[in-house]
Structure formats: C-alpha cells, structure tokens
Amino acid sequence: MNLNVLFELKNRIENTVFAGTNLIKDDFRLKKAYDAFLPFADVNPVFAKIKAGMDKVFQADKEAVNTAILDVLALIDAVVYTQGENSCEGEEISLNVINIKNFAKKVLKRN
C-alpha cells in the first residue's frame, strides 16, 4: 500500500503544530494534504477514523484543538509504525563487535 498521502498529511500536521495550533484552520497546505487523503478514507476504516479525527481538529475550538491534534497524530503514528518495514537489500557484511566487558577492563587498567 502506498502511504505517501498519509505521510504528507502527517508532515503537514506536524509543521502546523510547530507554526502554532491557532493557525491550523488557515493552513492551505494542510487542507490540500487532507483533500488528497479523503479518497482513502472511503476505502479503509482506519483512514476513516483519521478523517473523523481531522474533522474534529478543523471544528474544534481553541481549547480542544490541541487534544484533537494529538489524538490524530497518535493514530497516524500507529498506522505508520505498523506499516513500516525493517529490511535492507544487498550483501550482508559482518561487523566487528566490541566486547564491552573486555573494553571496560582495558579502560579501567589504563586509569
């Protein structure tokens, strides 16, 4: 699954938080990322929850907007984390691993 739209939405939310949450309703870049995300919300129930959270963000008053943003970011982070990979292509190489006990003994003997 291509999650570029979700990553863009996440980055836009984070950038808006850094700029100040009182500007979130006026951020055209965030709205553009949100509009690109909307078709995915119709297909995937988890993305529909993110959409509902974003709707709360856009409709929240100044006191509730921070909580709504954190809720959406937590959900997006969970989705990104569960969809991530940890692999590397190419030839494996062995690394010289330092035995920490022997290293510590050598350092202590010097001092």
Side-chain angles (χ1 to χ4, degrees), residues 11-26:
N11 288 335
R12 289 285 109 215
I13 294 170
E14 288 172 348
N15 289 340
T16 304
V17 168
F18 293 137
T21 56
N22 57 343
L23 303 173
I24 199 159
K25 295 178 184 177
D26 299 326

Side-chain angles (χ1 to χ4, degrees), residues 3-57:
L3 297 176
N4 289 338
V5 183
L6 185 62
F7 286 122
E8 180 63 26
L9 181 63
K10 180 180 182 301
N11 288 335
R12 289 285 109 215
I13 294 170
E14 288 172 348
N15 289 340
T16 304
V17 168
F18 293 137
T21 56
N22 57 343
L23 303 173
I24 199 159
K25 295 178 184 177
D26 299 326
D27 188 355
F28 68 93
R29 292 182 201 102
L30 176 60
K31 288 181 183 179
K32 184 178 176 183
Y34 177 67
D35 291 340
F37 173 79
L38 286 177
F40 294 94
D42 296 333
V43 178
N44 188 318
V46 175
F47 288 179
K49 288 184 180 184
I50 294 172
K51 177 192 174 293
M54 285 301 298
D55 291 340
K56 287 181 184 177
V57 168

Side-chain angles (χ1 to χ4, degrees), residues 10-111:
K10 180 180 182 301
N11 288 335
R12 289 285 109 215
I13 294 170
E14 288 172 348
N15 289 340
T16 304
V17 168
F18 293 137
T21 56
N22 57 343
L23 303 173
I24 199 159
K25 295 178 184 177
D26 299 326
D27 188 355
F28 68 93
R29 292 182 201 102
L30 176 60
K31 288 181 183 179
K32 184 178 176 183
Y34 177 67
D35 291 340
F37 173 79
L38 286 177
F40 294 94
D42 296 333
V43 178
N44 188 318
V46 175
F47 288 179
K49 288 184 180 184
I50 294 172
K51 177 192 174 293
M54 285 301 298
D55 291 340
K56 287 181 184 177
V57 168
F58 288 130
Q59 296 170 359
D61 58 352
K62 289 183 180 182
E63 291 81 26
V65 72
N66 295 332
T67 304
I69 290 170
L70 290 176
D71 289 343
V72 170
L73 277 176
L75 183 55
I76 292 173
D77 283 340
V79 171
V80 169
Y81 181 78
T82 57
Q83 297 298 314
E85 283 184 16
N86 188 8
S87 64
C88 181
E89 294 181 15
E91 182 181 338
E92 291 184 21
I93 58 171
S94 63
L95 300 174
N96 293 331
V97 179
I98 298 173
N99 185 336
I100 193 70
K101 290 180 183 178
N102 291 338
F103 180 74
K105 287 177 186 177
K106 289 179 185 177
V107 170
L108 291 174
K109 284 181 183 178
R110 287 186 204 162
N111 295 333

